[in-house]
Amino acid sequence: MMKDFFTFCMGTFCVSLLLVSCESDLVDPVIQENKQEFLVTKSMDCSTDTIYKDRKFFYEGNTYEYTETLVSDSVIHINNMEVEELLIKFEANPCLVTYMHYDGTFEYFDNQELFNSQVHGIVVRDSMLIQQRRNLGIEPYYTGHDWETLLPPQENKDGQIANLWLFDDHNYDDTYKRIDLINGGDNPKEVNKLKDLDLNDKVTSFVAYVFGRAVLFEMFEDSDFKDHSFSFTVYPGATTKIEGDFSFRLDQSDKYGKLAIPNLKECMVGNEGKLKDSWNDRISSVRLTLK
């Protein structure tokens, strides 16, 4: 079930964010420079149908910055030749892992083994940065709470550590299945074929909850955890929503954490940055791991 798409454009969640460097020694430049500001949306200049967007991502310990030019929602130019070469490399790699840091920043890994060898350090570092922000009382960018009324209930009972709610319609509607990570149960919790839940290539929205512990969520384009994957960690007390503008909030005392994507049709991928497509109806297997 190989689908031709280009993972780099997962970044078209429509924001560019101030990033946590992979080479960081836990000194957060945002904290140093401005304790009142958490996320920075970079410039987006529009002229008729032409849009210019500043982007940034991590790969092999390096930070790549560039500006892309879009006309009618299609990328027609990237002002960094090195980035363009990476796009071709990413497209040719069916094992590429896309990981989203807690602040919405994307990092790419050539294969699952390389990702597995580094993800523990990433979670430890990001957890410490989140705690630093809490200690300093930094108010992150956030667009409000109204959307949270649409979410399914947080089922924190019977030893549950995490819930993953998968829906076949946008805004957490219509047919759904819930996958639970249980204390003392299987870790990781694996569903190698969403076909068994009648949701293979049908997921359009999802919500991930955690209760007191950080949990890594991995979603794969093919069954048996194959093909390209989209991964993220949900942290206690952190709420994230991805829909056009990136939204993030830290709660000082809440042990619950959540990440919600109300419409995967808005999570764009593509081929060489020019062919629009999305993660909608692409997920075929999932894995939840307590970190």
Side-chain angles (χ1 to χ4, degrees), residues 99-238:
Y99 181 79
M100 187 179 72
H101 286 263
Y102 78 97
D103 64 352
T105 304
F106 286 96
E107 183 171 357
Y108 299 96
F109 300 85
D110 285 331
N111 54 61
Q112 192 71 34
E113 291 74 21
L114 181 61
F115 172 68
N116 290 343
S117 71
Q118 298 186 35
V119 66
H120 176 74
I122 291 172
V123 172
V124 170
R125 181 177 64 248
D126 281 0
S127 295
M128 295 179 71
L129 290 172
I130 288 173
Q131 190 58 51
Q132 285 182 2
R133 295 184 182 280
R134 285 200 183 96
N135 294 341
L136 290 171
I138 295 175
E139 283 296 325
Y141 173 76
Y142 191 63
T143 59
H145 297 253
D146 292 346
W147 61 272
E148 294 183 79
T149 61
L150 298 173
L151 300 182
Q154 299 174 112
E155 295 288 346
N156 180 23
K157 60 183 181 181
D158 300 328
Q160 293 176 14
I161 300 171
N163 306 143
L164 176 61
W165 297 73
L166 303 173
F167 297 84
D168 72 354
D169 204 351
H170 68 286
N171 286 333
Y172 330 109
D173 201 4
D174 209 359
T175 301
Y176 71 88
K177 298 292 181 182
R178 195 185 78 201
I179 300 167
D180 297 329
L181 180 63
I182 306 294
N183 189 25
D186 294 336
N187 184 36
K189 173 67 176 181
E190 298 181 331
V191 179
N192 66 335
K193 290 182 174 63
L194 283 180
K195 182 178 181 180
D196 295 340
L197 302 179
D198 196 30
L199 277 178
N200 187 59
D201 292 346
K202 293 182 179 180
V203 177
T204 298
S205 59
F206 68 80
V207 183
Y209 290 124
V210 300
F211 311 109
R213 301 281 297 276
V215 174
L216 171 68
F217 294 80
E218 299 173 276
M219 302 183 179
F220 297 82
E221 190 186 5
D222 210 346
S223 299
D224 297 316
F225 319 111
K226 296 177 182 178
D227 211 340
H228 177 259
S229 67
F230 171 48
S231 305
F232 55 89
T233 301
V234 180
Y235 299 87

Side-chain angles (χ1 to χ4, degrees), residues 48-51 70-76 274 276:
T48 316
D49 333 48
T50 303
I51 299 175
L70 298 94
V71 175
S72 300
D73 295 328
S74 295
V75 178
I76 63 168
K274 298 177 182 179
K276 286 184 59 177

Side-chain angles (χ1 to χ4, degrees), residues 10-15 17 39 99-106 142-143 147 151 171-172 204-207 230-234 239-248 258-268 279:
M10 278 294 300
T12 53
F13 282 129
C14 302
V15 292
L17 307 169
L39 296 176
Y99 181 79
M100 187 179 72
H101 286 263
Y102 78 97
D103 64 352
T105 304
F106 286 96
Y142 191 63
T143 59
W147 61 272
L151 300 182
N171 286 333
Y172 330 109
T204 298
S205 59
F206 68 80
V207 183
F230 171 48
S231 305
F232 55 89
T233 301
V234 180
T239 295
T240 303
K241 177 195 177 190
I242 300 173
E243 183 185 30
D245 291 333
F246 178 87
S247 305
F248 182 81
K258 63 176 78 74
L259 184 144
I261 297 184
N263 195 345
L264 284 168
K265 292 177 182 178
E266 297 185 6
C267 298
M268 293 299 166
W279 269 92

